[in-house]
Amino acid sequence: MNINFSDKKVLVRVDFNVPLDKQTFEVTDDTRIRRAMPTLEGILEGGGAIILMSHLGRPQKALKEDGSIDVERFTLKNIVGKLVEILGVEVRFCEETVGEKATEMAANLKRGQVMLLENTRFQKEEKKGDKEFASQLASLADVYVNDAFGTAHRAHASTTTVAEFFDADHKCFGLLLENELRNAARVTNNPERPFVAIVGGAKVSDKMLLLDRLIDQVDTLIIGGGMAYTFMKARGGQIGNSLCEEDRMALANELVQKAKDKGVELLLPSDSVVADAFSNDAQFKVAPSDLIPDGWMGLDIGVYAQNEFSQAINNAKTILWNGPMGVFEMSKFANGTKLVAQAVADATKNGGFSLIGGGDSVAAVNQMGLSKEVSYVSTGGGAMLELLEGKELPGVKAMGKTINA
Ligand code: AMP
């Protein structure tokens, strides 16, 4: 953030899309608010005034019966208390995103003061990346800072179009976004070797591009979770009632072949914890992952696979992890994910660099209390996935700047 913020009004796009309690609308996980603090504190220390903007949820998809926005549920006012508690500075809430009130409040904002605009997605124009709406947002401030990594893969008005209205000297990435890009670059550009990627989660189809790209980059690719069974079946294995995407089996075989051609070690779980129902109360036992009886489904990797995966991870100097090894939300099927998380933490202690790249693996690492024992935990699921797939994020491109490792 090498911009002089002194006496400047700074429009900051943050990702305050935090989970709220369904009844009280209180913030239930404030991680995203906390992660924005270095940027906000930096601007205030530099003598700036902050105009915050963010989206919260999907208000246009949950309209009330009369077609109006459910303001009570989606207003950013719901997060003001938590924000003030964490930032330690009064926050003036503006009940509109743009308009006369927003313009007046922004005009009266003094050095060191903070205001928060209403949910950007209350305006239909936000998701359309509308120029007029973006120009109204831009007119509130002298400088634009984008710190919303979680939405940097969306070409929306407040994340992308608004940047057009500021020249290079009046816009920059916030510290969180910069950090996310730097850590991703450490994995994608010249990673220290051996480079081990662990990919899990439910579906092959969600991670196809990621897997394909990783085979070009890694030394070892570990595939666990529900998606492993599509690979098993594609090889001719019996997977019982495990998750399977029949229409991705050909692709799974192509990926296996590609890994072979490139000399990449591809590890699939040789054994699984199988259950007779998708439930924590189900009967369970261990079976080879390619000999799962009918009526049983693989819900976690088995002990043999845990050991094999842990050994591969232990030697790594660069580790990327995206997606759990099993249905870790159920305690009976969380062991594989726990052991992999521990192996990633151990490898980090041994000098490896580990990036936990989004979504459920982030939840798993947090749940296991290991978030401080890995090198970096990303705040952006979809955005990190796209970055690792090699895509250029619209919110990053719009800034006309690059960040290297
Ligand atoms: P994703 O969002 O694709 O990373 O998938 C995460 C979800 O995959 C989690 O909710 C897990 O419970 C689920 N999952 C992981 N392994 C399995 C499995 N073997 N069978 C069914 N679901 C799984």
Side-chain angles (χ1 to χ4, degrees):
M1 293 205 300
N2 55 351
I3 285 183
N4 179 1
F5 292 117
S6 184
D7 291 320
K8 298 271 174 15
K9 295 200 168 102
V10 188
L11 181 65
V12 190
R13 177 48 158 108
V14 282
D15 182 3
F16 284 171
N17 182 32
V18 291
L20 302 179
D21 182 275
K22 285 198 175 70
Q23 255 98 48
T24 63
F25 304 125
E26 275 171 26
V27 177
T28 52
D29 181 346
D30 60 16
T31 309
R32 285 185 162 161
I33 300 178
R34 290 187 185 278
R35 297 284 290 264
M37 285 307 118
T39 297
L40 304 187
E41 284 161 6
I43 295 168
L44 292 178
E45 277 161 23
I50 296 178
I51 303 160
L52 286 169
M53 59 176 172
S54 175
H55 75 285
L56 177 64
R58 296 178 168 183
Q60 303 287 352
K61 293 245 163 77
L63 295 174
K64 295 208 287 199
E65 265 173 30
D66 63 2
S68 64
I69 297 266
D70 188 346
V71 176
E72 196 193 358
R73 179 170 161 205
F74 291 105
T75 176
L76 271 171
K77 204 172 184 177
N78 287 326
I79 68 126
V80 170
K82 194 44 106 179
L83 175 59
V84 171
E85 184 189 313
I86 295 172
L87 186 61
V89 171
E90 185 199 345
V91 174
R92 292 141 208 256
F93 181 70
C94 178
E95 277 155 19
E96 60 183 22
T97 319
V98 291
E100 271 176 36
K101 221 183 269 169
T103 305
E104 195 191 317
M105 275 179 77
N108 291 329
L109 205 65
K110 304 265 169 348
R111 190 184 167 100
Q113 294 182 334
V114 180
M115 69 179 269
L116 171 65
L117 299 171
E118 183 56 285
N119 193 341
T120 51
R121 288 197 190 161
F122 279 11
Q123 309 288 132
K124 276 203 188 104
E125 294 82 2
E126 163 72 339
K127 281 186 145 193
K128 294 181 185 150
D130 182 78
K131 274 208 173 185
E132 175 53 32
F133 174 46
S135 92
Q136 283 178 280
L137 288 169
S139 71
L140 301 174
D142 310 301
V143 173
Y144 171 62
V145 173
N146 187 357
D147 209 21
F149 180 67
T151 33
H153 58 317
R154 308 275 184 225
H156 294 169
S158 69
T159 61
T160 301
T161 322
V162 68
E164 289 175 22
F165 297 89
F166 296 86
D167 65 27
D169 298 331
H170 294 86
K171 64 183 166 191
C172 67
F173 297 123
L175 297 172
L176 171 67
L177 206 158
E178 214 174 87
N179 227 350
E180 296 272 3
L181 297 178
R182 189 165 294 122
N183 281 288
R186 203 162 156 185
V187 165
T188 51
N189 305 340
N190 282 325
E192 212 184 318
R193 297 191 177 274
F195 176 10
V196 176
I198 311 146
V199 182
K203 290 184 178 168
V204 183
S205 47
D206 291 342
K207 313 256 166 105
M208 246 163 39
L209 287 173
L210 178 67
L211 292 170
D212 186 53
R213 183 156 162 103
L214 285 174
I215 293 173
D216 292 329
Q217 298 172 322
V218 301
D219 300 291
T220 301
L221 176 60
I222 295 175
I223 297 179
M227 69 167 66
Y229 301 102
T230 299
F231 284 82
M232 287 290 167
K233 185 157 184 196
R235 279 181 175 183
Q238 285 174 39
I239 60 164
N241 294 24
S242 307
L243 268 190
C244 181
E245 289 172 278
E246 304 266 343
D247 56 341
R248 303 293 165 171
M249 282 181 6
L251 176 94
N253 278 334
E254 276 169 35
L255 291 172
V256 170
Q257 189 56 45
K258 183 174 170 184
K260 243 186 225 154
D261 294 346
K262 296 227 161 210
V264 170
E265 180 183 34
L266 194 148
L267 297 178
L268 287 162
S270 42
D271 60 346
S272 291
V273 178
V274 299
D276 62 358
F278 190 80
S279 156
N280 206 32
D281 302 324
Q283 305 265 21
F284 68 100
K285 60 183 182 182
V286 176
S289 301
D290 55 359
L291 277 176
I292 300 177
D294 280 346
W296 295 76
M297 59 186 92
L299 295 185
D300 195 9
I301 58 173
V303 173
Y304 191 89
Q306 287 170 16
N307 286 333
E308 200 179 11
F309 289 4
S310 296
Q311 263 171 30
I313 295 164
N314 266 320
N315 296 324
K317 282 284 166 273
T318 304
I319 301 162
L320 166 68
W321 183 17
N322 181 305
M325 296 293 97
V327 186
F328 75 102
E329 300 93 333
M330 300 182 194
S331 58
K332 273 184 189 159
F333 311 110
N335 281 339
T337 304
K338 263 190 206 160
L339 266 137
V340 161
Q342 192 56 56
V344 174
D346 292 344
T348 313
K349 211 182 274 167
N350 293 336
F353 171 79
S354 52
L355 171 67
I356 313 303
D360 276 334
S361 29
V362 171
V365 166
N366 287 337
Q367 188 179 310
M368 286 150 205
L370 290 173
S371 56
K372 294 220 160 61
E373 295 182 42
V374 296
S375 309
Y376 193 74
V377 180
S378 176
T379 56
M384 183 50 86
L385 193 62
E386 289 198 16
L387 209 53
L388 296 170
E389 286 169 356
K391 291 186 186 146
E392 196 170 24
L393 308 183
V396 172
K397 189 173 175 206
M399 300 300 265
K401 299 178 187 188
T402 46
I403 302 287
N404 295 315

